Amino acid sequence: MTRKLLTRRTALTGIVGASSGLILAGCDRIVQIPGVLSMLESAEKLSQHGQRLVLSASAPLAREYSRAEISKNFKANGTTRPQTEDYVRYAATEFTDYKLKIDGLVLRPQELSLDEVRNMPSRTQITRHDCVEGWSAIGEWTGVPLSHLLQQAGLQTNARYLVFHCADNLGGQGLYYESIDLVDAFHPQTIMAYAMNGQTLPVPHGAPLRLRVERQLGYKMAKYVMRIEAVDSFAKMGRGRGGFWEDLGYEWYAGI
Ligand SMILES: Nc1nc2c(c(=O)[nH]1)N[C@H]1C(S)=C(S)[C@@H](COP(=O)(O)O)O[C@H]1N2
Ligand SMILES: [Mo]
């Protein structure tokens, strides 16, 4: 495990260097983000603290690509078919019994079927996925903006992070989980995706719902999401570092 970690860390240094052009490319797209106005209007319902964070979400968009640039082979990485009892049961009925839970520090806990999620406003984006192992791939993702789900659930004033609880036990090390702060949660490109390249999201890529948080590295993009929990701290979860790979030594903020 240590050896693998070292390899992945070495790769990470390479990726950060190679993608600095990407960060620059995003700079001229800072303003004019569609939907920011309506997002701010509904932000009235949020606390003062929340409003500041929503404002700072008008940060650069990650670069988006054309359909012609979509990768023919998009590697599936990490878990590709969860074996936990609940997941096997949901998958057997094509996730008709699946419910996305949203709870923790929210005003209105949610349990949403896949159909309910699919009937919400959606966003489609073609982006590049960068894994610390040293590969990248371009794919088209369609899903509901996380901001929409959070507005529906309503955050309590002390909520600071969203934790994504997944269905897979990776390498017998425990259930995969990840977390992001509210700035990334309200970013317009942060979506819970249910489709990839125009098709229902395949199991190897995270069916029925996976997070896309486009300004960070691949390991942040939790697949097989069962539950989104709003918290004020993740110190008491896992080993306290905010995610499965973070608990094994990776950075919590994996910006590209
Ligand atoms: N639940 C879960 N999410 C996960 C992983 C995983 O093993 N389990 N692997 C992560 C890593 S390291 C990467 S690079 C991407 C891979 O996404 P893909 O399989 O769609 O390529 O998912 C991330 N999210
Ligand atoms: Mo990754």
Coordinates of all heavy atoms in Angstrom, one line a residue, residues 77-131:
N77 N -11.9 3.3 -12.8 CA -10.8 3.2 -11.9 C -11.3 3.0 -10.4 O -12.4 3.4 -10.1 CB -9.9 4.4 -11.9 CG -8.5 4.1 -11.4 OD1 -8.0 3.0 -11.6 ND2 -7.9 5.1 -10.8
G78 N -10.5 2.3 -9.6 CA -11.0 2.1 -8.2 C -12.0 0.9 -8.3 O -11.9 0.0 -9.1
T79 N -13.0 1.1 -7.5 CA -14.1 0.1 -7.5 C -14.8 0.2 -8.9 O -15.1 1.3 -9.4 CB -15.1 0.3 -6.4 OG1 -14.4 0.3 -5.2 CG2 -16.2 -0.7 -6.4
T80 N -15.1 -1.0 -9.5 CA -15.8 -1.0 -10.7 C -17.2 -1.7 -10.6 O -18.0 -1.7 -11.6 CB -15.0 -1.5 -11.9 OG1 -14.5 -2.8 -11.5 CG2 -13.9 -0.6 -12.3
R81 N -17.4 -2.4 -9.5 CA -18.6 -3.1 -9.3 C -18.8 -3.4 -7.8 O -18.2 -4.4 -7.3 CB -18.7 -4.4 -10.1 CG -20.1 -5.0 -10.1 CD -20.3 -6.1 -11.2 NE -20.3 -5.4 -12.5 CZ -21.5 -5.0 -13.1 NH1 -22.6 -5.2 -12.5 NH2 -21.5 -4.5 -14.3
P82 N -19.4 -2.5 -7.0 CA -19.5 -2.7 -5.6 C -20.2 -4.0 -5.2 O -21.1 -4.4 -5.9 CB -20.3 -1.5 -5.1 CG -20.2 -0.5 -6.2 CD -20.1 -1.3 -7.4
Q83 N -19.7 -4.7 -4.2 CA -20.2 -6.0 -3.8 C -21.0 -5.9 -2.5 O -21.4 -6.9 -1.9 CB -19.0 -6.9 -3.6 CG -18.2 -7.2 -4.9 CD -19.1 -7.8 -6.0 OE1 -20.0 -8.6 -5.7 NE2 -18.8 -7.5 -7.2
T84 N -21.2 -4.7 -1.9 CA -22.0 -4.6 -0.7 C -23.4 -5.1 -0.9 O -23.9 -4.9 -2.1 CB -22.0 -3.2 -0.1 OG1 -22.4 -2.3 -1.1 CG2 -20.6 -2.8 0.4
E85 N -24.0 -5.6 0.1 CA -25.3 -6.2 0.0 C -26.4 -5.3 -0.6 O -27.1 -5.6 -1.6 CB -25.8 -6.7 1.4 CG -26.8 -7.8 1.4 CD -27.2 -8.1 2.8 OE1 -26.3 -8.3 3.7 OE2 -28.4 -8.2 3.0
D86 N -26.4 -4.0 0.0 CA -27.4 -3.1 -0.5 C -27.2 -2.8 -2.0 O -28.1 -2.7 -2.8 CB -27.2 -1.7 0.3 CG -27.9 -1.8 1.6 OD1 -28.6 -2.8 1.9 OD2 -27.7 -0.9 2.4
Y87 N -25.9 -2.6 -2.4 CA -25.7 -2.2 -3.8 C -26.1 -3.3 -4.7 O -26.7 -3.0 -5.8 CB -24.2 -1.8 -4.0 CG -24.0 -1.2 -5.3 CD1 -24.2 0.2 -5.5 CD2 -23.7 -2.0 -6.4 CE1 -24.1 0.8 -6.8 CE2 -23.5 -1.4 -7.7 CZ -23.7 0.0 -7.9 OH -23.6 0.5 -9.1
V88 N -25.7 -4.5 -4.4 CA -26.0 -5.7 -5.3 C -27.5 -5.7 -5.5 O -28.0 -5.9 -6.6 CB -25.4 -7.0 -4.7 CG1 -26.0 -8.2 -5.4 CG2 -23.9 -6.9 -4.7
R89 N -28.3 -5.5 -4.4 CA -29.7 -5.5 -4.5 C -30.3 -4.4 -5.4 O -31.1 -4.6 -6.3 CB -30.3 -5.4 -3.0 CG -31.7 -6.0 -2.9 CD -32.3 -5.8 -1.6 NE -32.5 -4.4 -1.2 CZ -31.9 -3.8 -0.1 NH1 -31.1 -4.5 0.7 NH2 -32.1 -2.5 0.1
Y90 N -29.8 -3.2 -5.2 CA -30.2 -2.1 -6.0 C -29.9 -2.3 -7.5 O -30.7 -2.1 -8.4 CB -29.6 -0.8 -5.6 CG -30.0 -0.2 -4.3 CD1 -29.0 0.3 -3.4 CD2 -31.3 -0.2 -3.9 CE1 -29.4 0.9 -2.2 CE2 -31.7 0.4 -2.6 CZ -30.7 0.9 -1.8 OH -31.1 1.4 -0.6
A91 N -28.7 -2.8 -7.7 CA -28.2 -3.0 -9.1 C -29.1 -4.0 -9.8 O -29.4 -3.9 -11.0 CB -26.8 -3.4 -9.1
A92 N -29.5 -5.1 -9.0 CA -30.3 -6.2 -9.6 C -31.6 -5.7 -10.2 O -32.2 -6.2 -11.1 CB -30.5 -7.3 -8.6
T93 N -32.2 -4.6 -9.6 CA -33.4 -4.0 -10.1 C -33.2 -2.7 -10.8 O -34.1 -1.8 -10.8 CB -34.4 -3.9 -8.9 OG1 -33.8 -3.1 -7.9 CG2 -34.9 -5.2 -8.4
E94 N -32.1 -2.5 -11.4 CA -31.7 -1.3 -12.1 C -32.0 0.0 -11.3 O -32.5 1.0 -11.8 CB -32.4 -1.2 -13.5 CG -31.5 -2.0 -14.5 CD -32.2 -2.4 -15.7 OE1 -33.1 -1.6 -16.2 OE2 -31.9 -3.5 -16.3
F95 N -31.8 -0.1 -10.0 CA -31.8 1.0 -9.1 C -33.2 1.6 -8.9 O -33.4 2.8 -8.5 CB -30.8 2.1 -9.5 CG -29.4 1.6 -9.6 CD1 -28.8 1.3 -10.9 CD2 -28.7 1.3 -8.5 CE1 -27.6 0.8 -11.0 CE2 -27.4 0.8 -8.6 CZ -26.8 0.5 -9.8
T96 N -34.3 0.8 -9.2 CA -35.6 1.3 -9.1 C -35.9 1.5 -7.6 O -36.8 2.3 -7.2 CB -36.7 0.4 -9.7 OG1 -36.3 -0.9 -9.4 CG2 -36.7 0.6 -11.2
D97 N -35.3 0.8 -6.7 CA -35.5 0.9 -5.2 C -34.6 1.9 -4.6 O -34.7 2.1 -3.4 CB -35.4 -0.5 -4.5 CG -36.3 -1.5 -5.1 OD1 -37.4 -1.1 -5.5 OD2 -36.0 -2.7 -5.0
Y98 N -33.6 2.4 -5.3 CA -32.6 3.2 -4.8 C -33.2 4.6 -4.4 O -34.1 5.1 -5.0 CB -31.5 3.5 -5.9 CG -30.5 4.6 -5.6 CD1 -29.4 4.4 -4.8 CD2 -30.8 5.9 -6.1 CE1 -28.5 5.4 -4.6 CE2 -29.9 6.9 -5.8 CZ -28.8 6.7 -5.1 OH -27.9 7.7 -4.8
K99 N -32.7 5.1 -3.2 CA -33.1 6.5 -2.8 C -31.8 7.2 -2.4 O -31.0 6.6 -1.6 CB -34.0 6.4 -1.6 CG -35.4 5.9 -1.9 CD -36.4 7.0 -2.1 CE -37.7 6.6 -2.7 NZ -38.6 5.8 -1.8
L100 N -31.6 8.4 -2.9 CA -30.5 9.2 -2.5 C -30.9 9.9 -1.2 O -31.9 10.6 -1.2 CB -30.1 10.3 -3.5 CG -29.1 11.3 -3.1 CD1 -27.7 10.7 -2.9 CD2 -29.1 12.5 -4.0
K101 N -30.2 9.7 -0.1 CA -30.5 10.4 1.1 C -29.7 11.7 1.3 O -28.5 11.7 0.9 CB -30.1 9.5 2.3 CG -31.0 8.3 2.4 CD -30.7 7.5 3.8 CE -31.4 6.2 3.8 NZ -30.9 5.2 2.8
I102 N -30.3 12.7 1.7 CA -29.6 14.0 2.0 C -30.0 14.3 3.5 O -31.1 14.5 3.8 CB -29.9 15.1 1.1 CG1 -29.7 14.7 -0.4 CG2 -29.1 16.4 1.4 CD1 -30.2 15.7 -1.4
D103 N -29.0 14.3 4.4 CA -29.3 14.5 5.8 C -28.1 15.2 6.5 O -27.3 15.8 5.9 CB -29.7 13.2 6.4 CG -28.6 12.1 6.4 OD1 -27.5 12.5 6.1 OD2 -28.9 11.0 6.7
G104 N -28.1 15.1 7.8 CA -27.1 15.8 8.6 C -27.6 17.2 8.9 O -28.8 17.4 9.2
L105 N -26.8 18.2 8.7 CA -27.2 19.6 9.1 C -28.0 20.3 8.0 O -27.6 21.3 7.4 CB -25.9 20.4 9.4 CG -25.0 19.8 10.5 CD1 -23.8 20.6 10.7 CD2 -25.8 19.8 11.8
V106 N -29.2 19.6 7.7 CA -30.1 20.2 6.7 C -31.4 20.5 7.4 O -31.7 19.9 8.4 CB -30.3 19.3 5.5 CG1 -29.0 19.1 4.7 CG2 -30.9 18.0 5.9
L107 N -32.2 21.4 6.8 CA -33.5 21.7 7.4 C -34.6 20.7 7.0 O -35.5 20.5 7.7 CB -33.9 23.1 6.9 CG -32.9 24.3 7.3 CD1 -33.3 25.5 6.6 CD2 -32.9 24.5 8.8
R108 N -34.4 20.2 5.8 CA -35.4 19.3 5.3 C -34.8 18.0 4.7 O -34.4 18.0 3.5 CB -36.3 20.0 4.1 CG -37.0 21.2 4.6 CD -37.6 22.0 3.4 NE -36.7 22.6 2.6 CZ -36.1 23.8 2.8 NH1 -36.5 24.5 3.9 NH2 -35.2 24.3 2.0
P109 N -34.5 17.0 5.5 CA -33.9 15.8 5.0 C -34.6 15.2 3.8 O -35.9 15.3 3.7 CB -33.9 14.8 6.2 CG -34.1 15.7 7.4 CD -34.9 16.9 6.9
Q110 N -33.9 14.7 2.8 CA -34.5 14.2 1.6 C -34.2 12.7 1.4 O -33.2 12.2 1.8 CB -33.9 15.0 0.4 CG -33.9 16.5 0.5 CD -35.2 17.1 0.1 OE1 -35.8 16.8 -0.9 NE2 -35.7 18.0 1.0
E111 N -35.2 12.1 0.7 CA -34.9 10.7 0.2 C -35.5 10.7 -1.2 O -36.7 10.7 -1.4 CB -35.7 9.7 1.1 CG -35.0 9.4 2.4 CD -35.2 8.0 2.9 OE1 -35.8 7.2 2.2 OE2 -34.9 7.8 4.1
L112 N -34.6 10.7 -2.2 CA -35.0 11.0 -3.6 C -34.8 9.7 -4.4 O -33.7 9.2 -4.4 CB -34.3 12.1 -4.1 CG -34.4 13.5 -3.4 CD1 -33.3 14.4 -3.8 CD2 -35.7 14.1 -3.5
S113 N -35.9 9.4 -5.2 CA -35.7 8.3 -6.1 C -34.9 8.8 -7.3 O -34.8 10.0 -7.5 CB -37.1 7.7 -6.6 OG -37.7 8.7 -7.4
L114 N -34.4 7.9 -8.1 CA -33.6 8.2 -9.3 C -34.5 9.0 -10.3 O -34.0 10.0 -10.9 CB -33.1 7.0 -9.9 CG -31.7 7.1 -10.6 CD1 -30.7 7.8 -9.8 CD2 -31.3 5.6 -10.9
D115 N -35.8 8.6 -10.4 CA -36.7 9.4 -11.3 C -36.8 10.8 -10.8 O -36.9 11.7 -11.6 CB -38.0 8.7 -11.3 CG -38.1 7.6 -12.4 OD1 -37.1 7.5 -13.2 OD2 -39.0 6.8 -12.4
E116 N -37.0 11.0 -9.5 CA -37.1 12.3 -9.0 C -35.9 13.2 -9.3 O -36.0 14.3 -9.7 CB -37.4 12.3 -7.4 CG -38.8 11.9 -7.1 CD -39.0 11.6 -5.6 OE1 -38.2 10.9 -5.0 OE2 -40.0 12.2 -5.1
V117 N -34.7 12.5 -9.1 CA -33.5 13.3 -9.4 C -33.4 13.6 -10.9 O -33.0 14.7 -11.3 CB -32.3 12.4 -9.0 CG1 -30.9 13.1 -9.4 CG2 -32.3 12.3 -7.4
R118 N -33.8 12.7 -11.8 CA -33.7 12.9 -13.2 C -34.7 13.9 -13.7 O -34.5 14.5 -14.7 CB -34.0 11.6 -14.0 CG -32.9 10.6 -13.9 CD -33.1 9.5 -15.0 NE -32.3 8.3 -14.8 CZ -32.7 7.1 -14.4 NH1 -34.0 7.0 -14.1 NH2 -31.9 6.1 -14.2
N119 N -35.8 14.2 -12.9 CA -36.7 15.2 -13.3 C -36.4 16.6 -12.8 O -37.1 17.5 -13.1 CB -38.1 14.8 -12.8 CG -38.7 13.7 -13.7 OD1 -38.5 13.7 -14.9 ND2 -39.5 12.8 -13.1
M120 N -35.3 16.7 -12.1 CA -34.9 18.0 -11.6 C -34.1 18.8 -12.8 O -33.7 18.1 -13.8 CB -33.9 17.8 -10.4 CG -34.7 17.4 -9.2 SD -33.5 17.0 -7.9 CE -34.7 16.9 -6.5
P121 N -33.9 20.1 -12.6 CA -33.1 20.8 -13.6 C -31.7 20.0 -13.8 O -31.2 19.5 -12.8 CB -32.8 22.1 -13.0 CG -33.8 22.3 -11.9 CD -34.2 20.9 -11.4
S122 N -31.2 20.0 -15.0 CA -30.0 19.3 -15.2 C -29.0 20.2 -15.9 O -29.3 21.2 -16.5 CB -30.3 18.1 -16.1 OG -30.4 18.5 -17.4
R123 N -27.7 19.7 -15.8 CA -26.6 20.4 -16.5 C -25.8 19.3 -17.2 O -25.6 18.2 -16.6 CB -25.8 21.1 -15.5 CG -24.6 21.8 -16.2 CD -23.7 22.6 -15.2 NE -22.5 22.9 -15.8 CZ -22.2 24.1 -16.3 NH1 -23.0 25.1 -16.2 NH2 -21.0 24.3 -16.9
T124 N -25.3 19.6 -18.4 CA -24.5 18.7 -19.2 C -23.2 19.4 -19.4 O -23.1 20.6 -19.8 CB -25.1 18.3 -20.5 OG1 -26.3 17.5 -20.2 CG2 -24.2 17.4 -21.3
Q125 N -22.0 18.7 -19.2 CA -20.7 19.3 -19.4 C -19.7 18.3 -19.9 O -19.8 17.1 -19.5 CB -20.3 20.0 -18.1 CG -20.2 19.0 -16.9 CD -20.3 19.6 -15.5 OE1 -21.0 20.6 -15.4 NE2 -19.7 19.0 -14.5
I126 N -18.9 18.7 -20.8 CA -17.8 17.8 -21.3 C -16.5 18.3 -20.7 O -16.0 19.4 -21.0 CB -17.8 17.9 -22.8 CG1 -19.1 17.4 -23.4 CG2 -16.7 16.9 -23.4 CD1 -19.3 17.5 -24.9
T127 N -15.9 17.5 -19.8 CA -14.8 17.9 -19.1 C -13.7 16.9 -19.1 O -13.9 15.7 -19.5 CB -15.2 18.2 -17.6 OG1 -15.9 17.0 -17.1 CG2 -16.1 19.4 -17.5
R128 N -12.5 17.3 -18.6 CA -11.4 16.3 -18.5 C -11.2 15.8 -17.1 O -11.1 16.7 -16.1 CB -10.1 17.0 -19.0 CG -9.0 15.9 -19.3 CD -7.8 16.6 -19.8 NE -7.0 17.0 -18.6 CZ -5.8 17.7 -18.8 NH1 -5.3 17.9 -19.9 NH2 -5.1 18.0 -17.7
H129 N -11.1 14.5 -16.9 CA -10.9 13.9 -15.6 C -9.4 13.6 -15.5 O -8.9 12.9 -16.4 CB -11.8 12.6 -15.6 CG -11.7 11.8 -14.4 ND1 -12.7 11.7 -13.5 CD2 -10.7 10.9 -14.0 CE1 -12.3 10.9 -12.5 NE2 -11.1 10.4 -12.8
D130 N -8.8 14.0 -14.4 CA -7.4 13.8 -14.2 C -7.2 12.9 -12.9 O -7.6 13.3 -11.8 CB -6.6 15.1 -14.0 CG -6.6 16.0 -15.2 OD1 -6.4 15.4 -16.3 OD2 -6.8 17.2 -15.0
C131 N -6.7 11.7 -13.1 CA -6.4 10.8 -12.0 C -5.0 11.0 -11.5 O -4.1 11.1 -12.4 CB -6.7 9.4 -12.4 SG -6.2 8.2 -11.1

